Amino acid sequence: MKDIITVTTIAEASLEKTWHCWVSPEHITKWNYASDDWHCPSAINDLREGGSFTFTMAAKDGSFSFDFGGTYTSIEPQQRISYIMDDGREATVWFEQEGNAVKITEEFQAENIHSPEMQEAGWQAILNNFKKYTEGLP
């Protein structure tokens, strides 16, 4: 069994706004990267059970890029998204209203190439970018 890694944040935004920023390609490209020397130039998202997604992550200097993709297995709008990554690992994202904020929790199966600590740090950095981006919108 693969190790499970969990990352979380609390976004000071409405549930509707948080969900929209999470699932809409025009927003995904603005927050889906782990550091400022990377970006997400492309996002395709067919948000439905059996639908797929592909997010391109790339170094801004053009030295490296990769696609992160998968297939949705279960969607409960504004509550939960579950998917299987293209490499077979499973992940779930929960959205929980907490007063005027939303707690976002991501749980995913670790891969065997990078250390669990490195994976947790990378996914947490992306989640932190999401929080900053979403809170900064009017």
Side-chain angles (χ1 to χ4, degrees):
M1 183 171 157
K2 295 183 184 287
D3 289 338
I4 302 296
I5 298 173
T6 303
V7 295
T8 189
T9 195
I10 296 177
E12 300 292 332
S14 70
L15 183 57
E16 294 78 14
K17 178 179 174 183
T18 301
W19 179 264
H20 183 70
C21 289
W22 191 269
V23 302
S24 302
E26 67 269 21
H27 292 292
I28 295 167
T29 58
K30 301 208 174 43
W31 59 261
N32 193 31
Y33 49 89
S35 64
D36 289 339
D37 53 343
W38 281 71
H39 65 143
C40 181
S42 172
I44 300 167
N45 196 25
D46 182 10
L47 185 69
R48 62 180 174 83
E49 289 184 24
S52 63
F53 64 90
T54 304
F55 308 148
T56 300
M57 299 171 133
K60 287 182 178 177
D61 68 5
S63 63
F64 188 76
S65 72
F66 67 94
D67 287 338
F68 175 76
T71 302
Y72 294 110
T73 57
S74 178
I75 297 168
E76 294 176 44
Q78 298 183 6
Q79 294 178 40
R80 183 179 56 81
I81 299 171
S82 295
Y83 59 92
I84 297 176
M85 293 175 240
D86 287 341
D87 65 8
R89 295 180 295 138
E90 296 179 9
T92 300
V93 185
W94 289 271
F95 301 83
E96 300 172 80
Q97 186 82 52
E98 290 194 356
N100 293 328
V102 178
K103 180 179 179 183
I104 302 124
T105 304
E106 284 188 275
E107 186 176 273
F108 63 97
Q109 291 177 317
E111 41 94 341
N112 297 323
I113 299 169
H114 301 94
S115 72
E117 296 79 16
M118 179 183 275
Q119 293 175 68
E120 180 178 354
W123 284 58
Q124 185 66 56
I126 293 169
L127 194 54
N128 293 346
N129 276 347
F130 173 79
K131 170 187 170 64
K132 180 180 175 185
Y133 172 76
T134 302
E135 290 177 348
L137 290 176

